[in-house]
Amino acid sequence: MPRPRSLTTAQLAAAALAVIDRDGLDALTMRTVAAELGISTMGLYRYVDGRDQLEALVVELVLTDVDTTPAAGDTPWRGAIGTLAERVRVAVGAHPAVVPLLMTHRHRSPHLLRWSETVLGILTAAGYDGPARVTALRAITGYMVGVLQLQHLGPLAGAGTKVIAAQSDFPLMASTARDAAAVTPEAEFGAGLSALLSGLTPR
Amino acid sequence: MPRPRSLTTAQLAAAALAVIDRDGLDALTMRTVAAELGISTMGLYRYVDGRDQLEALVVELVLTDVDTTPAAGDTPWRGAIGTLAERVRVAVGAHPAVVPLLMTHRHRSPHLLRWSETVLGILTAAGYDGPARVTALRAITGYMVGVLQLQHLGPLAGAGTKVIAAQSDFPLMASTARDAAAVTPEAEFGAGLSALLSGLTPR
DNA sequence: ATCGTAGGCGTACATCGTACGCTTAAAATC
DNA sequence: GATTTTAAGCGTACGATGTACGCCTACGAT
């Protein structure tokens, strides 16, 4: 009966993500996104309740790129989880500026719930149960979001590392920082994750 | 020659932290902090360059409570690092609302640099060196900031967990969420950390 | 052709950070 | 003790932002 909507939520999310990718997270305002869509600022509110919901849409869009299909059943469980985690890293790495939003909206993302369910399936098959399963999943997601944020806010190859490398009051930090420039984000992410996973043991 | 300052930076940081502890991070504005100090809004700018610097002061104040003294030399290295990490958790847990600031200002905190130097000392004594030492330190700090944020934004005993426990489309998530309420933040933090540490091996 | 409903927009306001320029306290000098 | 000098402290004002509210209007159903 009424007038039909002229935009889909997918278009909203895409426009917001485009703004973020182009001009950074600070540029994400109701006004810029509305302009990106060619509608007025308040027109946006016919589609979302407010900025928070818009951010949630962006997060969900980014995570949509993550394949949550588990590896073949005979894959060692640590490897299977490692693959799932690496997929998240790649998807998020394609839109680095959204990292801060990930933390705030992570728990509202259906796709990430699906991802977690898959990880839990692997953990359960590996013999995990009860509180140990809780802490295992939490440790994995905690590690992931932590390292992703570290990489976004202070990449090992970035300026901050150079500053530390030049300090003489913290010799170990300085020497470590000099080694750091050569470590890629992928290697960094993977090294810590496999350490964590190999330290996790069912029961 | 000029008029002397009537406030110390310590007082500034304490006032800002008081606002955060009392009314949450959203309440941290230049105006509220100035009011807390009994000065005018713009008076604050005689002490800090802007909001960013004020936030950095708060972070530094919170981290000041962390003892960076390493345990006795004959302590196993994993235990020594575990103790250092736990001290951070306790200090941060005393002011949960500052957690988001930790991420953004972590790299500017001298006290945290000191803390990292101590951890690197332990890692080095354990036989770590080169890129492996880089990734080990990064994994530890990444895990810590990640889990601390998870605990702050979505505590296992919180409402979000209850919502997940009630969902039937993700049975493993639901069942895991039911187990989660019984896990304390300390146990959660410690379980993941000791898994990570025991998975880390020098060379 | 008409009508009801939701789409879309413009205005307006509260809140925030902060630039700018004034007044004034008080240490240093005489 | 009077004067000078320098930064302390403040008030006003402005741009940016999220969003409440009420208007007009497009368009499917009748």
Side-chain angles (χ1 to χ4, degrees):
Chain A
M1 229 192 223
R3 188 165 157 188
R5 301 176 97 81
S6 47
L7 296 170
T8 65
T9 37
Q11 287 175 289
L12 288 210
L17 184 57
V19 169
I20 295 177
D21 283 343
R22 180 174 1 103
D23 300 324
L25 187 54
D26 284 350
L28 184 78
T29 70
M30 300 304 274
R31 287 168 228 265
T32 55
V33 174
E36 180 83 16
L37 288 164
I39 64 176
S40 79
T41 305
M42 294 313 291
L44 249 189
Y45 284 84
R46 292 284 167 187
Y47 294 90
V48 288
D49 267 356
R51 189 203 162 100
D52 251 35
Q53 208 170 101
L54 185 60
E55 291 179 351
L57 287 179
V58 173
V59 169
E60 187 64 7
L61 175 59
V62 170
L63 293 176
T64 299
D65 290 340
V66 178
D67 178 7
T68 60
T69 311
D74 56 351
T75 311
W77 67 270
R78 286 180 241 258
I81 291 179
T83 300
L84 281 163
E86 172 66 9
R87 287 184 196 147
V88 172
R89 191 193 68 81
V90 171
V92 171
H95 306 280
V98 304
V99 167
L101 299 184
L102 265 187
M103 280 308 306
T104 355
H105 299 282
R106 170 191 59 83
H107 52 290
R108 284 193 255 164
S109 161
H111 203 79
L112 200 55
L113 263 171
R114 160 101 281 147
W115 184 93
S116 302
E117 182 80 6
T118 304
V119 172
L120 280 179
I122 296 170
L123 286 175
T124 306
Y128 272 97
D129 203 351
R133 193 171 57 177
V134 173
T135 53
L137 177 64
R138 269 254 159 167
I140 292 166
T141 56
Y143 170 82
M144 288 174 56
V145 295
V147 171
L148 287 177
Q149 281 206 47
L150 249 47
Q151 292 187 345
H152 172 246
L153 264 50
L156 286 177
T161 305
K162 286 202 182 69
V163 170
I164 292 174
Q167 298 216 349
S168 59
D169 13 343
F170 299 118
L172 292 171
M173 282 296 281
S175 129
T176 306
R178 280 190 288 274
D179 291 330
V183 178
T184 68
E186 177 173 1
E188 179 195 351
F189 186 86
L193 184 64
S194 54
L196 173 61
L197 290 173
S198 75
L200 286 173
T201 45
R203 292 201 336 115
Chain B
M1 225 190 215
R3 187 165 157 189
R5 299 176 98 82
S6 47
L7 297 170
T8 65
T9 38
Q11 286 175 288
L12 288 211
L17 184 56
V19 168
I20 295 177
D21 284 343
R22 183 178 354 107
D23 300 323
L25 187 55
D26 284 349
L28 184 78
T29 69
M30 300 306 272
R31 288 169 227 265
T32 55
V33 174
E36 179 83 16
L37 288 164
I39 64 176
S40 80
T41 305
M42 293 314 290
L44 249 189
Y45 285 84
R46 292 285 167 186
Y47 294 90
V48 287
D49 266 356
R51 188 201 162 99
D52 252 34
Q53 208 170 101
L54 185 60
E55 292 178 350
L57 287 180
V58 173
V59 169
E60 187 64 7
L61 175 60
V62 169
L63 293 177
T64 300
D65 290 340
V66 178
D67 179 7
T68 59
T69 312
D74 56 350
T75 310
W77 67 270
R78 286 180 243 258
I81 291 179
T83 301
L84 281 164
E86 172 67 10
R87 287 186 198 147
V88 172
R89 191 194 67 80
V90 170
V92 171
H95 306 279
V98 304
V99 167
L101 299 184
L102 265 187
M103 281 307 307
T104 356
H105 299 280
R106 172 190 57 84
H107 52 289
R108 284 193 255 163
S109 160
H111 203 80
L112 200 55
L113 264 172
R114 161 100 280 148
W115 184 92
S116 303
E117 182 79 7
T118 303
V119 172
L120 280 179
I122 297 170
L123 286 174
T124 307
Y128 273 96
D129 204 351
R133 193 171 58 177
V134 173
T135 54
L137 178 64
R138 269 255 159 166
I140 292 167
T141 56
Y143 170 81
M144 287 175 57
V145 296
V147 171
L148 287 177
Q149 281 205 49
L150 249 46
Q151 293 187 345
H152 172 245
L153 263 49
L156 286 177
T161 305
K162 286 202 181 70
V163 170
I164 292 173
Q167 299 217 348
S168 58
D169 13 344
F170 299 119
L172 291 171
M173 283 296 282
S175 129
T176 306
R178 280 190 288 274
D179 291 331
V183 178
T184 67
E186 178 174 0
E188 178 195 351
F189 185 86
L193 184 63
S194 54
L196 174 61
L197 291 174
S198 75
L200 286 173
T201 45
R203 292 200 330 113

